[in-house]
Amino acid sequence: MSKSVTTRNNVQVIGRGDDVIVFAHGFGTNQSAWHHQVRAFEDTHRIVLFDHVGTHGTDLEDYSPHRYAALESYSLDLLEVLESVRARNVFYVGHSMSGMIGMLAGLVRPEFFRGMLFIGASPRYLNSPDFKGGFERKDIDELYKTIEQHFEAWASGFAQAAMGPSATPEMVKDFSSSLLALRPDIAVGVIRIIFESDYREQITRLKVPTWVVQPLNDFAVPTAVGEYLARTLPSGNIRYVPNQGHLPHLSAPNEVNTLISDALAASALAAA
Amino acid sequence: MSKSVTTRNNVQVIGRGDDVIVFAHGFGTNQSAWHHQVRAFEDTHRIVLFDHVGTHGTDLEDYSPHRYAALESYSLDLLEVLESVRARNVFYVGHSMSGMIGMLAGLVRPEFFRGMLFIGASPRYLNSPDFKGGFERKDIDELYKTIEQHFEAWASGFAQAAMGPSATPEMVKDFSSSLLALRPDIAVGVIRIIFESDYREQITRLKVPTWVVQPLNDFAVPTAVGEYLARTLPSGNIRYVPNQGHLPHLSAPNEVNTLISDALAASALAAA
């Protein structure tokens, strides 16, 4: 019955160094999406990798739509992952949904985190009279229906849109395969909690220094939303990655690695 | 935009003493449900009271069904409440849904809690082939429909069932008024996440010493479920309160206060 957190989340600790970086993957990928970053930082840092429950590669018995009905559940898992490896004072890198997951974890355990870097993160996707998140309600409802009814066709279209026009066909194919490895009901469940989320209030309270990495032309996160996020976080900084697409750690690894290096150095200075 | 946790959750700190007790209310009540316990412990303990978001008495603007789509969200709020009053090493008393909320908080911050006492708590309400939670799927679906369509009629019936046959008419009326003070969509939203929940795996991992207070004839929690909970928690103890109903802190306050006193003493000894 009882399963260790390490097993549940496929926790891996690799690399050499006292400084710890935690990489948290976004929707449709798993920890393997960080291979470029692992290669760049494993000689100088201890690296914690894990998979969110429900991702391909985890035991899908651990997933239930009720247990994972909100990003808050993933942030509790993240805190358990950090406890399981006794990580403290870590630098957290979160892609997409893992931006807000890290933020929520940082609200309750700020002392766990020396700094955070969000790639393609958004506190709110839907448009409303007072906010332009980028998506209309009817488009989102259409999206849910498409995933439910035409999962395979949706995956290839979504992969192309997410990777952006500048990605190679191979990158698109990889991400598409990764999406297709998801169980369709889990994919739509997770997409739903992401697109329905609204963390505009919570981000005003995060005390951890944070770098918002905003790709140019990210279909999921309009530049204005990334700028809003950076401006609203009490210690937010924005950095642009001159690349299209929602997964620049895969499609523009060198640029992203440089931004991570810079943020690591800045947060080490601030902590010293 | 930013609101303090103290304001959001109506956090109150009262009483005298070094020892801290946190009381967390269940569905349909708010912090005022603890008045018998406050009177009994305020001369000897520091007492932290708060309301869950969505409860009558909180700003309903803070509630959204997506933000509060699972008990995990409430447990993050609880951790923020404890941070906001710098509470450490507390004794936590949680009623009904606040049992599992405390348990989830204890998984990620065990060092916050010296002990926990759950009143009328259940890790799983639904029956399934491998578990008898007490409720059939069709009964639960019927319940959701009734709350949605006949909120007022439902509230008075639910109040009677919850308080149990031995409660005075006044107690039933009080609880019924408290239920009617809820916004109906919030009531059904919260009832839903409670009855759909399944924390059988998580309870196997709670390291905090816990007392399970099981009322006799609790309509929401069969005695066998309370016993399962106590047996499955690594440091679980069961205590029966010889009273019917799901809210013994209101209907049998002396008995409950004695159980709290005993658990406080036992957990102080264990910590010493």
Side-chain angles (χ1 to χ4, degrees):
Chain A
M1 195 76 188
S2 179
K3 175 181 284 182
S4 76
V5 170
T6 315
T7 305
R8 182 190 67 192
N9 287 102
N10 293 335
V11 182
Q12 313 271 357
V13 183
I14 52 182
R16 287 160 293 281
D18 295 328
D19 243 25
V20 180
I21 315 179
V22 179
F23 288 102
H25 69 84
F27 172 75
T29 63
N30 63 16
Q31 60 183 275
S32 67
W34 299 110
H35 59 95
H36 295 297
Q37 286 68 46
V38 168
R39 209 173 311 142
F41 294 101
E42 66 184 342
D43 287 340
T44 50
H45 289 76
R46 194 152 70 99
I47 293 176
V48 179
L49 296 169
F50 70 100
D51 295 329
H52 292 301
V53 168
T55 305
H56 40 294
T58 63
D59 182 351
L60 300 187
E61 284 288 306
D62 294 334
Y63 177 86
S64 96
H66 303 291
R67 162 77 171 122
Y68 292 96
L71 294 184
E72 282 78 0
S73 301
Y74 296 95
S75 70
L76 284 183
D77 283 0
L78 167 62
L79 291 172
E80 290 190 348
V81 166
L82 295 178
E83 286 282 12
S84 76
V85 297
R86 301 178 183 284
R88 293 289 184 282
N89 200 33
V90 305
F91 193 87
Y92 174 88
V93 178
H95 172 233
S96 194
M97 70 190 268
S98 286
M100 294 302 102
I101 290 167
M103 181 277 297
L104 291 166
L107 286 185
V108 298
R109 297 225 65 171
E111 75 280 15
F112 264 22
F113 302 98
R114 193 183 86 192
M116 292 190 172
L117 184 141
F118 301 158
I119 301 170
S122 166
R124 159 103 174 164
Y125 295 85
L126 277 167
N127 296 331
S128 61
D130 61 338
F131 190 75
K132 219 173 147 28
F135 292 85
E136 289 293 333
R137 162 60 62 197
K138 66 171 173 30
D139 300 333
I140 294 286
D141 288 343
E142 204 55 51
L143 172 69
Y144 301 153
K145 222 185 296 172
T146 307
I147 308 178
E148 275 164 357
Q149 298 175 352
H150 312 283
F151 184 64
E152 296 195 17
W154 164 78
S156 87
F158 188 84
Q160 183 68 65
M163 292 303 296
S166 61
T168 65
E170 194 170 40
M171 287 174 192
V172 176
K173 202 174 131 271
D174 281 354
F175 186 46
S176 168
S177 305
S178 182
L179 288 168
L180 286 170
L182 290 170
R183 215 172 66 192
D185 63 304
I186 298 181
V188 73
V190 178
I191 278 272
R192 224 178 245 282
I193 69 166
I194 294 170
F195 279 109
E196 301 294 331
S197 67
D198 184 357
Y199 293 107
R200 288 176 294 167
E201 185 275 317
Q202 287 83 348
I203 60 174
T204 64
R205 294 189 278 110
L206 182 69
K207 286 176 195 137
V208 181
T210 302
W211 286 261
V212 173
V213 172
Q214 173 66 40
L216 297 181
N217 216 344
D218 179 341
F219 92 111
V221 188
T223 303
V225 172
E227 289 166 350
Y228 170 88
L229 174 59
R231 190 171 67 236
T232 310
L233 288 163
S235 293
N237 307 277
I238 192 149
R239 295 291 182 270
Y240 300 92
V241 47
N243 188 76
Q244 298 181 311
H246 182 57
L247 298 96
H249 50 311
L250 283 164
S251 60
N254 294 337
E255 290 82 346
V256 167
N257 291 350
T258 301
L259 293 175
I260 293 174
S261 277
D262 291 350
L264 278 169
S267 81
L269 268 180
Chain B
M1 194 77 189
S2 180
K3 175 181 283 184
S4 75
V5 171
T6 315
T7 304
R8 182 190 68 192
N9 287 101
N10 293 334
V11 181
Q12 314 271 356
V13 183
I14 53 184
R16 286 161 293 281
D18 295 328
D19 242 26
V20 181
I21 314 179
V22 179
F23 288 102
H25 70 83
F27 172 74
T29 64
N30 64 15
Q31 59 182 276
S32 67
W34 299 109
H35 59 96
H36 294 296
Q37 286 67 47
V38 168
R39 209 174 311 143
F41 294 101
E42 67 184 342
D43 287 341
T44 49
H45 289 76
R46 194 151 72 97
I47 292 175
V48 179
L49 296 170
F50 70 101
D51 295 327
H52 291 302
V53 166
T55 305
H56 41 294
T58 63
D59 182 351
L60 300 188
E61 285 288 306
D62 294 333
Y63 177 86
S64 96
H66 303 291
R67 162 77 171 120
Y68 293 97
L71 295 183
E72 282 78 0
S73 301
Y74 295 96
S75 71
L76 283 183
D77 283 1
L78 167 63
L79 292 172
E80 289 189 351
V81 165
L82 295 177
E83 286 283 11
S84 76
V85 296
R86 301 178 184 284
R88 293 289 185 283
N89 200 32
V90 306
F91 193 86
Y92 174 87
V93 178
H95 172 233
S96 194
M97 69 190 268
S98 285
M100 293 302 102
I101 291 167
M103 181 278 298
L104 291 167
L107 285 186
V108 298
R109 297 224 65 172
E111 75 281 14
F112 264 22
F113 302 98
R114 192 184 84 192
M116 294 191 170
L117 184 143
F118 301 159
I119 301 169
S122 166
R124 159 104 174 164
Y125 295 84
L126 277 168
N127 296 331
S128 62
D130 62 338
F131 189 74
K132 216 172 150 26
F135 293 85
E136 288 293 332
R137 161 61 61 198
K138 67 171 174 27
D139 299 334
I140 293 287
D141 288 343
E142 204 54 51
L143 172 70
Y144 300 153
K145 225 188 289 173
T146 307
I147 309 179
E148 274 164 357
Q149 297 176 353
H150 312 284
F151 184 63
E152 296 193 17
W154 163 77
S156 87
F158 187 85
Q160 184 68 67
M163 292 303 296
S166 61
T168 66
E170 195 169 39
M171 286 174 192
V172 175
K173 202 174 130 271
D174 280 355
F175 186 46
S176 168
S177 306
S178 183
L179 288 167
L180 286 169
L182 289 170
R183 214 173 68 192
D185 62 305
I186 299 181
V188 73
V190 178
I191 277 272
R192 226 178 244 280
I193 68 166
I194 294 171
F195 279 109
E196 301 293 333
S197 67
D198 185 356
Y199 293 108
R200 288 176 294 167
E201 186 275 316
Q202 287 83 348
I203 59 174
T204 65
R205 293 189 278 110
L206 182 69
K207 285 175 196 138
V208 180
T210 302
W211 285 262
V212 173
V213 172
Q214 174 66 40
L216 298 182
N217 216 344
D218 179 341
F219 93 111
V221 188
T223 302
V225 172
E227 288 166 349
Y228 169 89
L229 175 58
R231 191 172 66 234
T232 310
L233 288 162
S235 293
N237 307 278
I238 192 148
R239 297 289 180 271
Y240 299 92
V241 48
N243 187 78
Q244 299 181 312
H246 183 56
L247 298 97
H249 51 311
L250 283 164
S251 60
N254 294 337
E255 289 82 347
V256 167
N257 291 350
T258 301
L259 292 176
I260 294 174
S261 277
D262 292 350
L264 278 169
S267 82
L269 269 181

